[in-house]
Amino acid sequence: MKLKIYQIDAFTNSVFKGNYAAVIILEEWLSTELMQQIATENNLSETAFAFKNAQNIYEIRWFSPITEIDFCGHATLAAAFVIFKENASLEKVTFTAKAVGNLDIERLDSGFIQMSFPNRKPKVVDSIPKELLSGLSIIPQEVLLNQQAYFAIFSKEEDVYSVKTNLDELKKLAPYDVVVTSKSKEYDFISRYFWPANGGDEDPVTGSIHAGLAPYWADKSNKNELIAYQASKRGGLLKCKVLEDKVIISGQAVLYLEGYITI
């Protein structure tokens, strides 16, 4: 069996930056075991598999090298980029996934791809897990939690760049990951994302976590349109707009690789 595969750099306008994702558009679903094996072989942050159903909606599933993921933003962006690339007249597409429902995607004239995500605003935790405190070299001023991760809020931008992690400790927070974040001089806010329990050490750019970061910082800054930067080694830029029940995340993407895998 041959499957066409794309490798896309997401949340960037140039290769070797942003976050990498593989995309495979299927004519019928593969087994979960096989999709996980492909994702492990690809060894990228995420591999997205999409299948267009009878309602012309793309069912989508995301796999890290070690497990299936409930919700992935950058691989959704990558999958939309591929679909728009292969269908030049198409301007909108809808994905659907069990954990998040329908995700409406639109190609903008600016070259950005706009994605409608559920609002996943975090809440302050009553008790900060000791594994989080021992897993970060800098003590956060506040800690919150949503469906995906613990949010460690820092008072200084420099702390986000310089914080070191003990991944063995952070892994104990499973199924939750950890995002560190602060206000920024150049952007509205910055962040870094660590996911040792679900994918790896530090994720280059994490679209899904901005469904929680953007509502938090929108409240703090009293504005609903924000520019975010994920301050990993590769880095990535995200435009965010916060609505009552949705967060609109926009980003760019570029093609790195196109070919076939043989199974």
Side-chain angles (χ1 to χ4, degrees):
M1 175 172 57
K2 276 192 171 185
L3 296 172
K4 191 165 188 180
I5 188 169
Y6 302 83
Q7 186 172 324
I8 308 298
D9 288 337
F11 292 116
T12 180
N13 60 2
S14 60
V15 294
F16 309 127
K17 295 186 180 297
N19 200 354
Y20 20 56
V23 176
I24 298 175
I25 308 298
L26 298 170
E27 295 183 1
E28 59 181 4
W29 281 116
L30 307 175
S31 70
T32 298
E33 179 184 14
L34 180 55
M35 288 189 286
Q36 183 61 69
Q37 289 173 327
I38 292 170
T40 301
E41 185 79 8
N42 289 339
N43 199 30
L44 301 170
S45 292
E46 222 78 44
T47 297
F49 297 88
F51 164 74
K52 186 164 70 171
N53 64 26
Q55 290 74 43
N56 286 324
I57 292 175
Y58 283 88
E59 299 173 21
I60 189 167
R61 295 173 69 178
W62 308 278
F63 291 79
S64 81
I66 64 175
T67 190
E68 185 170 5
I69 301 297
D70 284 342
F71 177 31
C72 179
H74 88 276
T76 300
L77 175 60
F81 176 88
V82 168
I83 291 169
F84 289 141
K85 177 181 179 297
E86 295 300 312
N87 300 271
S89 62
L90 193 64
E91 299 297 334
K92 296 181 180 181
V93 65
T94 298
F95 292 109
T96 189
K98 287 182 180 179
V100 290
N102 286 359
L103 306 172
D104 295 321
I105 318 295
E106 183 175 355
R107 173 163 47 183
L108 305 179
D109 292 339
S110 63
F112 279 74
I113 293 174
Q114 176 179 286
M115 304 176 288
S116 177
F117 290 165
N119 186 318
R120 304 179 93 182
K121 183 179 178 180
K123 297 179 179 179
V124 176
V125 298
D126 295 327
S127 177
I128 301 175
K130 66 180 187 303
E131 294 87 356
L132 179 63
L133 297 177
S134 59
L136 298 174
S137 63
I138 300 172
I139 301 298
Q141 67 175 22
E142 186 178 27
V143 176
L144 301 91
L145 177 68
N146 75 355
Q147 301 96 318
Q148 181 174 347
Y150 284 96
F151 291 62
I153 313 298
F154 290 153
S155 58
K156 296 186 296 183
E157 184 175 13
E158 293 76 12
D159 290 345
V160 173
Y161 285 101
S162 62
V163 67
K164 292 179 172 53
T165 57
N166 181 330
L167 295 175
D168 288 335
E169 287 296 297
L170 296 185
K171 193 172 185 178
K172 296 175 184 177
L173 297 169
Y176 299 109
D177 301 321
V178 175
V179 61
V180 299
T181 183
S182 75
K183 288 183 180 179
S184 169
K185 300 179 184 70
E186 184 175 356
Y187 311 97
D188 289 299
F189 64 90
I190 62 168
S191 66
R192 292 171 65 196
Y193 190 86
F194 306 96
W195 61 325
N198 293 302
D201 45 14
E202 181 173 356
D203 196 43
V205 193
T206 314
S208 58
I209 200 60
H210 286 77
L213 285 168
Y216 173 85
W217 287 113
D219 280 355
K220 294 296 182 182
S221 60
N222 198 29
K223 58 192 291 191
N224 70 341
E225 294 191 28
L226 307 103
I227 302 296
Y229 181 72
Q230 193 152 329
S232 65
K233 288 182 180 179
R234 290 172 64 97
L237 185 74
L238 309 91
K239 294 183 178 181
C240 309
K241 183 176 181 179
V242 180
L243 307 178
E244 185 174 348
D245 61 343
K246 299 286 184 182
V247 178
I248 309 301
I249 306 291
S250 301
Q252 295 173 289
V254 293
L255 174 68
Y256 173 70
L257 177 150
E258 179 178 349
Y260 291 88
I261 58 174
T262 303
I263 299 169

